[in-house]
Amino acid sequence: MDITQQEQQHLSQVLDYIRRQLGDYQQSGKDLRAYILEQRRRTWDDFARASENPDGYQEVLQIAQTEQRDVQRFERIEEQKKVLAMLADNPYFARLDVEEDGDVDTMYIGRRALVQEETSDLLVCDWRSDIAALFYESGLGKTQYSGPYGKIDCNLLLRRQFRIEQGKLLAWFDSDIAIEDDILQAQLGSDSDTKLKTIVSTIQKEQNAVIRNLTDRLVLVSGVAGSGKTSIALHRLAYLMYRLRGKLSSAEIIIFSPNNVFNSYIADVLPDLGEEKVIQTSMVEYFGRYLRGKTVLSATEQSERLLHHRTDPAEIVQKGSEDFCLYLQRFFEAHAAEYVRPQDLMYYDEVVYTKQQLYTLYFEECRAYKPAIRVRKILDGLEEYLETTFRGTRDKQYELQVTENGAISLTDKELQQEIKACWLSDKNRILQQARQMLQINVYRMYVQALEEISGPMTEQCRQLFAQNQVRYEDLFALCYLLFLCGSLPTCPKIKHVVVDEAQDYPPLVYRLMAQVFSGASHTVLGDLNQAFLPHFEQLKQIALCYEPISARYFELHKSYRSTIEINTYLSGIVSNGADMTFFARHGRPVQTVPCSQLEQVVKELAAFRSKAVVCKDEEECQRVYQRLKTAGISTTLLGSEDILYPDRTVVVASYLTKGLEFDAVVVADASEKNWATPMEKQAFYVGASRAMHALVLCRDDESSDMDGCSR
């Protein structure tokens, strides 16, 4: 029997076991569910009888406790069914033969572990296990892997990779060090999907180092387009939840991503790896909720100003800078007291608290607390004083008021309810009066802080605030002031934070993140080549915002997404293109056609599963969408609020393509005049670098290439 037959036989045996177990669990789950429902019915009957016989309650309690154990057993069965269903068609992707102390063990590696119940034999080893790291990190021969109690010496005898689809062994490869190119070629050469896929079978050594880092509280990754940053982040989360089981759950992890399109695109990775979905949000969604009563304009609106209106980015960069952060802190420390102006606290014509009493409470007795906490403590004390000392003297007055001196007859209950309503209204009015005296108005403070820097900036903010609007670049500065006030709380329940597209956020954001999630570990990933705004000269500078926590910086220079032809073109339009390396996958050359051929090009790319027509901004998207629609081409206009990533041709603005990938990309107007500014050239690079197999540039100018994206 040759190797192929042996491996196919082994695969068949594993699959037969999985299918038998899946059938057994399905029947067991069905039977147990029926049993639980029947027991629940009996419990209700017994409960009804126990209401007539108190001695029966103890028996009912015991039945309920038994039912809870049955429910937990049912949940375990359902979880095991999920694992088996995940492994049913493709149980593993690699094999390792490892010698330890003279004994040779054969291990098959897959997305989840599988243990044969009858024998306790490990049929499939989880890719996140310690020994599985040999597959990603070690070559044949003497080596080591990390165990629970330190390094373990071993001899790696065999390293085999498999292509398995629908229970069929399509190919196998024995390799020494690198993940076999043929396996990776097959995966990268396939069509893109509507959702980001797992990469457990093709994780590269440099990617694995990021995924398995457990020692540093900040992992900072700078990676070129197509280096797998987003996939790495999600697989890292799966690894952390596996290694820190019982200490880190999905509810304690938050991912900050650019928009809803991106959230939808990555949504299936963790479930495919057997883990629960984590919290996914954007910076606007998370921090905007603290600006109550204000509408925060999105990052999309900012991108439109920069790309469509060609707004000078200097003001935006300044408002997010480290210097501006320090300036706000100094301004707050110097002027915070000026925004608190105690006055006599009045109840109609009566003084409840004097100006001096409030002054003493705020500036002396509570001075150890942040301003917002001082206000809360004072209001709590004031409410207690009003309830215990002040209210009783008013009840008779309220009684006369609600009965209009006896003209209206009420029952005692009705009277007490009306008196209480009157008191609550007056009490809230008094507390609100105190709050307005003592609470710092961060909007007024922010405007006055801006006055010392720039008149135009000040007037612009003042006008927007009057309309209850806040621009994206002002959101974080306002939230920083709220944090200094104590109105923006820390979030201790979050234990791990992921920030994707890190290059898009200024230093002030990371200063804020380090404070709000001070107890968490952080994974931050980005690419300066995709930065529209020059917030950082080097991505590693982000680490300075998190000091003094331990940090590790990784650079990923190799791109796996695009063909050699596309990557060669892309490397020529960025300043550090010479540092890029590419996975050796060839395809069609980058094509340049006249803009008039847009419709024809899109039709010619019909064979590709996913296609994107990339435009600079929203206005261009609208024009191109109507143009394609008129030509009878089925397209979807993709917006920032879309939550589904459609499996068809999409027309999309350049700034919304970050993190996504498509089989084919057509840049609707790649002319120099359309992408003239440094920022626009960065946006062009972002859109063009989404292409996996085909890139077409529509242009009417004579230039053959975009100018270098100098920053």
Side-chain angles (χ1 to χ4, degrees), residues 105-156:
D105 290 323
T106 295
M107 282 160 294
Y108 288 85
I109 301 170
R111 285 180 290 170
R112 292 294 294 272
L114 179 65
V115 178
Q116 190 170 32
E117 290 188 353
E118 299 84 357
T119 63
S120 297
D121 290 338
L122 183 64
L123 298 179
V124 181
C125 181
D126 195 298
W127 69 276
R128 298 167 291 186
S129 64
D130 291 330
I131 198 166
L134 292 172
F135 174 69
Y136 302 109
E137 298 175 351
S138 299
L140 297 180
K142 295 188 181 299
T143 185
Q144 294 179 322
Y145 67 93
S146 297
Y149 306 105
K151 296 289 186 180
I152 299 173
D153 294 320
C154 64
N155 188 13
L156 184 57

Side-chain angles (χ1 to χ4, degrees), residues 483-518:
F483 178 80
L484 294 175
C485 284
S487 298
L488 196 156
T490 58
C491 191
K493 75 172 185 177
I494 295 297
K495 296 181 180 179
H496 194 85
V497 179
V498 175
V499 179
D500 206 353
E501 305 298 338
Q503 72 281 345
D504 292 338
Y505 307 114
L508 197 153
V509 168
Y510 296 106
R511 288 286 180 189
L512 192 60
M513 298 282 282
Q515 296 291 334
V516 172
F517 304 105
S518 58

Side-chain angles (χ1 to χ4, degrees), residues 63 131 154 159 199 203 279 286 292 307 340 368 396 485 488 515 521 542 580 592 616 674 687 691:
I63 294 172
I131 198 166
C154 64
R159 191 172 181 276
I199 60 168
I203 293 172
I279 303 167
Y286 187 89
R292 297 178 180 88
L307 295 175
V340 180
K396 189 64 179 175
C485 284
L488 196 156
Q515 296 291 334
S521 54
I542 291 174
M580 296 182 181
T592 302
K616 186 177 73 173
N674 197 37

Side-chain angles (χ1 to χ4, degrees), residues 599 603 625-635:
E599 294 90 343
K603 290 177 180 178
Y625 173 71
Q626 291 298 330
R627 182 176 164 183
L628 295 177
K629 188 177 177 181
T630 301
I633 299 172
S634 179
T635 60

Side-chain angles (χ1 to χ4, degrees), residues 225-284:
S227 58
K229 295 184 294 297
T230 301
S231 292
I232 290 169
L234 294 168
H235 286 70
R236 172 165 168 76
L237 292 182
Y239 178 77
L240 292 175
M241 283 188 277
Y242 173 84
R243 289 300 304 268
L244 303 175
R245 193 75 72 198
K247 298 179 181 178
L248 179 67
S249 69
S250 59
E252 297 169 321
I253 298 172
I254 187 169
I255 298 177
F256 287 96
S257 51
N259 49 58
N260 285 331
V261 177
F262 184 86
N263 284 338
S264 175
Y265 181 59
I266 68 173
D268 288 350
V269 173
L270 286 172
D272 285 349
L273 293 171
E275 300 292 348
E276 297 293 326
K277 292 182 179 181
V278 301
I279 303 167
Q280 292 179 223
T281 188
S282 67
M283 293 291 180
V284 169

Side-chain angles (χ1 to χ4, degrees), residues 48 93 135 168 252 308 317 327 491 547 573:
F93 54 82
F135 174 69
K168 299 285 180 98
E252 297 169 321
H308 181 69
V317 174
Y327 167 72
C491 191
E547 288 183 338
I573 61 173

Side-chain angles (χ1 to χ4, degrees), residues 467-484:
Q467 302 167 22
N468 290 321
Q469 292 184 329
V470 174
R471 275 187 168 165
Y472 182 73
E473 60 265 27
D474 296 311
L475 165 65
F476 307 112
L478 288 166
C479 283
Y480 190 67
L481 288 176
L482 287 173
F483 178 80
L484 294 175

Side-chain angles (χ1 to χ4, degrees), residues 437-450:
M437 291 180 189
L438 303 176
Q439 191 167 305
I440 295 175
N441 186 323
V442 294
Y443 303 101
R444 188 158 60 91
M445 176 181 281
Y446 186 59
V447 167
Q448 291 180 347
L450 291 178

